Amino acid sequence: MKKRLFAALLAGAVALSMVACGGGSSSSSAPAASGDAGTAAPAAAREPGDGEYKIDVICKTLSSEYWTYIKAGAEAYSKDHPEVTVEVKGPPSETSYDEQMNMIQTDLGSGGYDGYIIAPLQADTVKTLIADTDAPIMALDTAISSDKVISFIGTGNEEAAKAGAAAAVQAAKDAGWEEIKCIEIAGVQGDGTNTARMNGYIAGIEENGGDFLEDEVQYAEAVADKATTCMEGIMSTHPEGIAIICANNDDMALAAANAAAKSGLDAYKNTIFLGFDGQIPAAEAILEGKMTMSTAQNPYNMAYKAVETMVAYLNGEQVDPVVDSGYTIITKDNAQEHIDTLKSYSE
């Protein structure tokens, strides 16, 4: 890293702009991906470097399909640009808060990287950890409301969840439901991404004539086993059936759908099961009729764009405070195409 010494001398003068979460995906406010509030000015450019950089990417975990695509996308940038070294790491699970905090503290303290891309498990805690750094920071997947953050790169989670919920309401109507009630099996309570998706689900259901049962939200910590238990509780409480079960990720949606199928309850045969992430098992389940639909993110593209944006900033270019990587609603009509695309990432 030929520019490291120069960058260190310059660090005190670097002007970073604030990333925050609004309700859309414009260039002046972050998409509703974190649940944070505020506005962001365009990120200032920095003095150009020499193009040879070492980038640190700290994920929420590397133990799920979604985060393996993140890893692949980040590393793909390095393969396309050998002068840029990318290190990708993450804790054992999305509830390994202390482990991720230790990673961030250790890496920031080492001074061994030109830029840091962080997908925070706890955005407020990470905000505190980076408060005194002059290192370039970007937020991935979940925004961090801090003036130390240059850009947020991720899905507009609220907007995407709203679109998925709207599609689920239409599917429920098509399936013959007259009373369209929805219960969410949520992830980790208090997590910014979880909150944003929930807000999107609420809006998408209620704005399209459904009833989101907010008092009956079930928290399953983003894991399938707990989602199964939650679904069993829902079926016990609502033997008459529920039109829509939406979940914070695909693993939970598929677990809920499987629990309903195993129960043999006729009242749940036409329930719409809506997931989020668009992972291969979910897309396969949609093709097989075991799950209804999923709102797919593009984690590979998200990570590639994150490294690309960091390199652009280090090269002295002005970058956008928000880079929205988009979403797609996956149904039987496009599930196979989606599977083929995901599989191509590992080729």
Side-chain angles (χ1 to χ4, degrees), residues 21-267:
C21 178
S25 56
S26 70
S27 62
S28 61
S29 64
S34 72
D36 297 326
T39 58
R46 111 190 230 113
E47 193 72 19
D50 63 5
E52 296 184 7
Y53 307 116
K54 187 175 182 181
I55 310 299
D56 192 26
V57 180
I58 301 177
C59 300
K60 292 185 178 183
T61 185
L62 293 178
S63 63
S64 72
E65 181 184 331
Y66 175 85
W67 292 100
T68 63
Y69 297 139
I70 290 282
K71 184 174 187 290
E75 291 176 345
Y77 184 92
S78 185
K79 290 177 183 177
D80 291 344
H81 304 82
E83 71 279 8
V84 177
T85 300
V86 177
E87 288 188 8
V88 185
K89 63 197 68 172
S93 74
E94 291 194 34
T95 55
S96 300
Y97 308 118
D98 291 342
E99 288 90 338
Q100 192 193 53
M101 294 307 106
N102 288 337
M103 286 179 181
I104 295 170
Q105 287 179 310
T106 298
D107 288 3
L108 283 174
S110 74
Y113 302 91
D114 296 292
Y116 299 82
I117 298 170
I118 302 172
L121 284 172
Q122 294 177 310
D124 288 343
T125 304
V126 175
K127 176 181 178 180
T128 300
L129 288 179
I130 66 176
D132 296 325
T133 187
D134 290 319
I137 304 286
M138 291 187 180
L140 176 71
D141 182 75
T142 299
I144 306 166
S145 182
S146 168
D147 60 1
K148 296 294 183 178
V149 175
I150 302 157
S151 294
F152 164 72
I153 303 93
T155 305
N157 282 285
E158 187 169 333
E159 178 184 353
K162 181 178 179 180
V169 170
Q170 184 58 54
K173 291 176 181 178
D174 293 342
W177 289 91
E178 295 181 1
E179 189 174 19
I180 301 177
K181 295 181 179 180
C182 174
I183 295 178
E184 179 182 3
I185 299 179
V188 178
Q189 190 168 11
D191 173 73
T193 299
N194 180 81
T195 299
R197 291 178 187 175
M198 184 183 297
N199 289 340
Y201 283 145
I202 293 171
I205 296 295
E206 297 189 346
E207 290 178 14
N208 289 279
D211 182 13
F212 185 94
L213 304 183
E214 195 166 353
D215 292 340
E216 297 190 46
V217 170
Q218 307 286 314
Y219 288 95
E221 295 186 4
V223 296
D225 289 348
K226 292 186 178 181
T228 297
T229 302
C230 290
M231 188 63 206
E232 290 170 348
I234 290 169
M235 290 186 292
S236 176
T237 305
H238 293 277
E240 76 283 3
I242 291 290
I244 300 170
I245 300 294
C246 61
N248 190 56
N249 65 25
D250 286 332
D251 290 344
M252 294 190 296
L254 186 52
N258 287 337
K262 289 179 182 179
S263 75
L265 292 175
D266 289 340

